[in-house]
PDB file of all heavy atoms in Angstrom:
ATOM      1  N   LEU A  96     156.959  99.178  43.805  1.00 91.00           N
ATOM      2  CA  LEU A  96     155.675  98.618  44.178  1.00 91.00           C
ATOM      3  C   LEU A  96     154.760  98.503  42.957  1.00 91.00           C
ATOM      4  O   LEU A  96     154.095  97.495  42.768  1.00 91.00           O
ATOM      5  CB  LEU A  96     155.033  99.483  45.261  1.00 91.00           C
ATOM      6  CG  LEU A  96     153.775  98.950  45.886  1.00 91.00           C
ATOM      7  CD1 LEU A  96     153.973  97.593  46.531  1.00 91.00           C
ATOM      8  CD2 LEU A  96     153.260  99.932  46.907  1.00 91.00           C
ATOM      9  N   GLY A  98     155.621  98.156  39.878  1.00 96.00           N
ATOM     10  CA  GLY A  98     156.105  97.057  39.040  1.00 96.00           C
ATOM     11  C   GLY A  98     155.653  95.704  39.561  1.00 96.00           C
ATOM     12  O   GLY A  98     155.285  94.817  38.778  1.00 96.00           O
ATOM     13  N   ILE A 100     152.945  95.098  41.343  1.00 95.00           N
ATOM     14  CA  ILE A 100     151.503  94.983  41.099  1.00 95.00           C
ATOM     15  C   ILE A 100     151.234  94.669  39.633  1.00 95.00           C
ATOM     16  O   ILE A 100     150.413  93.809  39.308  1.00 95.00           O
ATOM     17  CB  ILE A 100     150.779  96.266  41.535  1.00 95.00           C
ATOM     18  CG1 ILE A 100     150.841  96.393  43.063  1.00 95.00           C
ATOM     19  CG2 ILE A 100     149.330  96.277  41.044  1.00 95.00           C
ATOM     20  CD1 ILE A 100     150.359  97.717  43.586  1.00 95.00           C
ATOM     21  N   LEU A 109     143.845  83.768  37.797  1.00 91.00           N
ATOM     22  CA  LEU A 109     142.617  84.198  38.460  1.00 91.00           C
ATOM     23  C   LEU A 109     142.781  85.642  38.882  1.00 91.00           C
ATOM     24  O   LEU A 109     143.906  86.120  39.063  1.00 91.00           O
ATOM     25  CB  LEU A 109     142.345  83.341  39.698  1.00 91.00           C
ATOM     26  CG  LEU A 109     142.171  81.844  39.479  1.00 91.00           C
ATOM     27  CD1 LEU A 109     142.062  81.128  40.815  1.00 91.00           C
ATOM     28  CD2 LEU A 109     140.947  81.578  38.622  1.00 91.00           C
ATOM     29  N   LEU A 130     144.821 108.649  62.582  1.00 72.00           N
ATOM     30  CA  LEU A 130     144.439 107.241  62.509  1.00 72.00           C
ATOM     31  C   LEU A 130     143.845 106.838  61.173  1.00 72.00           C
ATOM     32  O   LEU A 130     143.525 105.669  60.961  1.00 72.00           O
ATOM     33  CB  LEU A 130     143.449 106.915  63.630  1.00 72.00           C
ATOM     34  CG  LEU A 130     144.020 107.037  65.034  1.00 72.00           C
ATOM     35  CD1 LEU A 130     142.923 106.788  66.072  1.00 72.00           C
ATOM     36  CD2 LEU A 130     145.177 106.092  65.255  1.00 72.00           C
ATOM     37  N   SER A 131     143.681 107.768  60.259  1.00 71.00           N
ATOM     38  CA  SER A 131     143.140 107.421  58.941  1.00 71.00           C
ATOM     39  C   SER A 131     144.302 107.028  58.041  1.00 71.00           C
ATOM     40  O   SER A 131     145.082 107.847  57.623  1.00 71.00           O
ATOM     41  CB  SER A 131     142.355 108.594  58.354  1.00 71.00           C
ATOM     42  OG  SER A 131     143.191 109.718  58.207  1.00 71.00           O
ATOM     43  N   THR A 141     132.422  90.413  45.044  1.00 94.00           N
ATOM     44  CA  THR A 141     131.835  89.661  46.155  1.00 94.00           C
ATOM     45  C   THR A 141     132.305  90.175  47.515  1.00 94.00           C
ATOM     46  O   THR A 141     131.796  89.741  48.544  1.00 94.00           O
ATOM     47  CB  THR A 141     132.187  88.168  46.048  1.00 94.00           C
ATOM     48  OG1 THR A 141     133.614  88.032  45.978  1.00 94.00           O
ATOM     49  CG2 THR A 141     131.546  87.545  44.806  1.00 94.00           C
ATOM     50  N   ALA A 143     132.273  93.132  50.025  1.00 91.00           N
ATOM     51  CA  ALA A 143     131.393  94.283  50.257  1.00 91.00           C
ATOM     52  C   ALA A 143     132.109  95.389  51.032  1.00 91.00           C
ATOM     53  O   ALA A 143     131.840  95.615  52.210  1.00 91.00           O
ATOM     54  CB  ALA A 143     130.143  93.826  51.001  1.00 91.00           C
ATOM     55  N   LEU A 144     133.030  96.083  50.360  1.00 92.00           N
ATOM     56  CA  LEU A 144     133.722  97.207  50.997  1.00 92.00           C
ATOM     57  C   LEU A 144     132.758  98.374  51.180  1.00 92.00           C
ATOM     58  O   LEU A 144     131.762  98.482  50.470  1.00 92.00           O
ATOM     59  CB  LEU A 144     134.905  97.655  50.139  1.00 92.00           C
ATOM     60  CG  LEU A 144     136.006  96.628  49.930  1.00 92.00           C
ATOM     61  CD1 LEU A 144     137.034  97.178  48.947  1.00 92.00           C
ATOM     62  CD2 LEU A 144     136.668  96.262  51.245  1.00 92.00           C
ATOM     63  N   ASN A 152     138.317  95.286  59.749  1.00 94.00           N
ATOM     64  CA  ASN A 152     137.371  94.526  58.931  1.00 94.00           C
ATOM     65  C   ASN A 152     137.873  94.185  57.534  1.00 94.00           C
ATOM     66  O   ASN A 152     137.225  93.418  56.825  1.00 94.00           O
ATOM     67  CB  ASN A 152     136.043  95.289  58.834  1.00 94.00           C
ATOM     68  CG  ASN A 152     135.274  95.186  60.123  1.00 94.00           C
ATOM     69  OD1 ASN A 152     135.145  94.109  60.705  1.00 94.00           O
ATOM     70  ND2 ASN A 152     134.770  96.307  60.605  1.00 94.00           N
ATOM     71  N   THR A 168     131.521  91.366  60.459  1.00 96.00           N
ATOM     72  CA  THR A 168     132.320  92.545  60.759  1.00 96.00           C
ATOM     73  C   THR A 168     132.310  92.847  62.250  1.00 96.00           C
ATOM     74  O   THR A 168     131.437  92.398  62.989  1.00 96.00           O
ATOM     75  CB  THR A 168     131.801  93.786  60.009  1.00 96.00           C
ATOM     76  OG1 THR A 168     130.445  94.017  60.378  1.00 96.00           O
ATOM     77  CG2 THR A 168     131.910  93.606  58.508  1.00 96.00           C
TER      78      THR A 168
END
Side-chain angles (χ1 to χ4, degrees):
L96 187 58
I100 292 171
L109 300 174
L130 295 176
S131 60
T141 56
L144 297 174
N152 285 314
T168 59

